């Protein structure tokens, strides 16, 4: 729904195009302003304060990427639609660049632009345009001190850390998407800070020699839950994340096997997730440790594939059972044909290497269906479920008979 606050700035060096775009924008209910050069663009950003910018990527006195950077430097919260007659890959990489600068990027438009496509884009953006929220007089909370190493060490020792479980579903069993496993993701139940996500303390644990103790908590608590689920007749394999420096600990395979044996849990119910970067730091040691984990019946999953620099060549050198596509690759498949092409080529490759393929970060039905159509085995993402405490995960499994049944079937 259009609000009277929808203000569009049309940036293009051709006056005729600006006029045409302006007419369409005003038809759609926007208040419109134009900029034909960089100076006008700057002035309009601060004076007109657009909520949406339609930006031509090729301007004579400053390319669109420079203008995006200016918007980011000014902390602009306006949405951006890029337009260009250039190669579509230039458009999509510019869009990604804008996103990485923290700008709110909408799908770009390829010139020549069809009027109906333009109207649709304007209407879609107006619904998502949001003014800076007016700050309600909420009592200000004193800022929290940065987490101290000693505080984290105490929390680990006192049992304030617990694994949450995010369901992994089977994409290739019709539209029921039965849960066939989970990933254990650590959370810190902090008495003052509330539930702290791992990004806020894993690096601190890694840098200060606490990651071994942290992983021990996640492993032992996960294995205890696996035991409880087995006792309830449910066999769900669960993945646990390992940190890079654990891939240099030669005693790790025996230690994990001992924990499983003591709890009476089959090694086939545990998967360890590692990143390629971690494995590459010392490929010899990592291969030794991972191979022995595999020999003990524990599966190895390559996490975050497609984030940063992934080398396709290395994946056959590691004793992997599963490959997980990173969320950054998956979020692109809804809007970027090239990303779909890459994922579509990777799935058969991974399958040909006998790897199970799992996609992470599925947030839409559209991406779930695309991945299903190209033969991706498993998926994990908010579309199915966020990570939940163990009790809630048990409920998810037991309250949905078809899912629990499928889990049983998966075991056999
Ligand atoms: P990861 O192993 O790649 O885990 C997936 C992350 O993506 C989780 O974030 C999960 O909540 C998030 N995620 C899954 N689906 C979606 C989605 O659809 N949308 C969005 N926006 N996010 C989604 P989380 O729990 O914050 O964990 C972040 C990272 O912290 C993990 O990335 C992992 O690298 C690390 N981590 C978590 N638990 C542990 C642990 O016990 N040990 C170690 N060493 N690292 C851990
Ligand atoms: Mg993981
Ligand atoms: Mg991941």
């Amino acid at each position: 729904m259009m609000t009277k606050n929808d203000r569009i700035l049309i940036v293009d060096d051709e006056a005729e195009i600006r006029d045409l775009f302006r007419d369409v924008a005003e038809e759609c209910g926007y208040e419109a302003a134009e900029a034909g050069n960089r100076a006008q663009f700057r002035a309009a950003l601060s004076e007109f304060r657009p909520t949406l910018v339609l930006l031509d990527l090729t301007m004579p006195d400053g390319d669109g990427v420079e203008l995006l950077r200016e918007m980011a430097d000014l902390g602009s919260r306006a949405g951006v639609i890029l337009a260009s007659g250039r190669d579509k890959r230039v458009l999509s990489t510019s869009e990604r660049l804008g996103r990485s600068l923290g700008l709110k990027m909408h799908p770009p438009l390829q010139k020549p632009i069809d009027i109906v496509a333009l109207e649709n884009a304007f209407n879609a953006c107006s619904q998502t345009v949001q003014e800076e929220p007016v700050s309600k007089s909420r009592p200000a909370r004193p800022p929290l001190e940065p987490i101290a190493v000693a505080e984290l060490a105490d929390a680990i020792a006192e049992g304030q850390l617990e694994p949450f479980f995010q369901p992994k579903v089977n994409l290739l069993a019709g539209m029921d998407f039965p849960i066939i496993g989970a990933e254990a993701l650590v959370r810190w139940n902090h008495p003052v800070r509330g539930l702290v996500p791992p990004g806020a303390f894993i690096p601190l644990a890694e840098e200060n020699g606490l990651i071994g103790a942290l992983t021990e908590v996640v492993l032992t608590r996960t294995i205890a839950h696996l035991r409880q689920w087995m006792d309830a007749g449910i066999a769900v394999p669960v993945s646990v994340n390992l940190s890079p420096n654990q891939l240099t600990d030669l005693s790790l395979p025996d230690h994990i096997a001992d924990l499983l044996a003591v709890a009476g849990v089959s090694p086939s119910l545990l998967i360890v997730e590692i990143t390629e970067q971690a494995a590459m730091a010392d490929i010899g040691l990592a291969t030794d440790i991972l191979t022995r984990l595999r020999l003990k019946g524990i599966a190895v999953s390559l996490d975050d594939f497609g984030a940063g620099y992934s080398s396709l060549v290395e994946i056959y050198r590691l004793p992997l059972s599963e490959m997980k596509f990173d969320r950054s690759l998956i979020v692109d498949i809804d809007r970027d044909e090239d990303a779909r092409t890459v994922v579509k080529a990777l799935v058969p490759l991974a399958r040909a290497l006998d790897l199970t393929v799992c996609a992470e970060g599925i947030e839409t039905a559209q991406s779930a269906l695309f991945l299903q159509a190209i033969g991706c085995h498993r998926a994990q993402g908010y579309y199915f479920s966020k990570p939940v405490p163990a009790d809630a995960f048990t409920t998810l499994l037991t309250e949905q008979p078809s899912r629990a049944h499928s889990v049983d079937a998966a075991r056999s």
Side-chain angles (χ1 to χ4, degrees), residues 43-113:
L45 265 191
S46 52
E47 286 157 22
F48 179 62
R49 299 189 50 246
T51 53
L52 182 64
V53 177
L54 177 63
L55 179 60
D56 182 17
L57 266 185
T58 31
M59 299 281 288
D61 60 346
D63 62 56
V65 170
E66 287 176 290
L67 300 191
L68 286 176
R69 203 170 301 120
E70 279 196 28
M71 285 182 72
D73 289 345
L74 286 171
S76 172
R77 288 170 51 94
V80 181
I81 303 176
L82 295 177
S84 169
R86 290 284 169 91
D87 177 341
K88 72 178 168 61
R89 195 154 301 130
V90 174
L91 257 185
S92 58
T93 47
S94 306
E95 185 207 350
R96 261 198 292 278
L97 190 69
R99 224 180 298 134
S100 71
L101 290 169
L103 297 172
K104 191 163 124 205
M105 305 301 293
H106 294 291
L109 292 169
Q110 180 88 37
K111 282 182 175 177
I113 300 169

Side-chain angles (χ1 to χ4, degrees), residues 183-185 239-241 273 303-304 324 360 380:
E183 175 172 9
L185 293 157
S239 314
V240 168
N241 292 279
E273 291 193 9
D303 203 0
D304 301 346
K324 285 183 95 173
E360 200 164 57
Q380 202 182 318

Side-chain angles (χ1 to χ4, degrees), residues 162-164 166-167 183-187 196-203 206 211 214-215 217-219 222 239-244 246 273 275 303-304 324-327 330-331 359-364 380-387:
E162 68 166 309
F164 271 33
Q166 184 176 35
E183 175 172 9
L185 293 157
V186 69
R187 298 289 183 268
V196 187
F201 57 91
I202 294 266
E206 285 174 337
I211 195 68
L214 183 150
T215 308
V217 169
V218 177
L219 268 172
T222 297
S239 314
V240 168
N241 292 279
L242 295 184
S243 273
Q246 293 172 309
E273 291 193 9
T275 62
D303 203 0
D304 301 346
K324 285 183 95 173
F325 290 140
D326 190 63
R327 188 166 71 90
I330 296 303
V331 292
E360 200 164 57
I362 313 297
E363 292 190 359
T364 63
Q380 202 182 318
Y382 292 178
Y383 177 64
F384 305 107
S385 167
K386 287 192 166 182

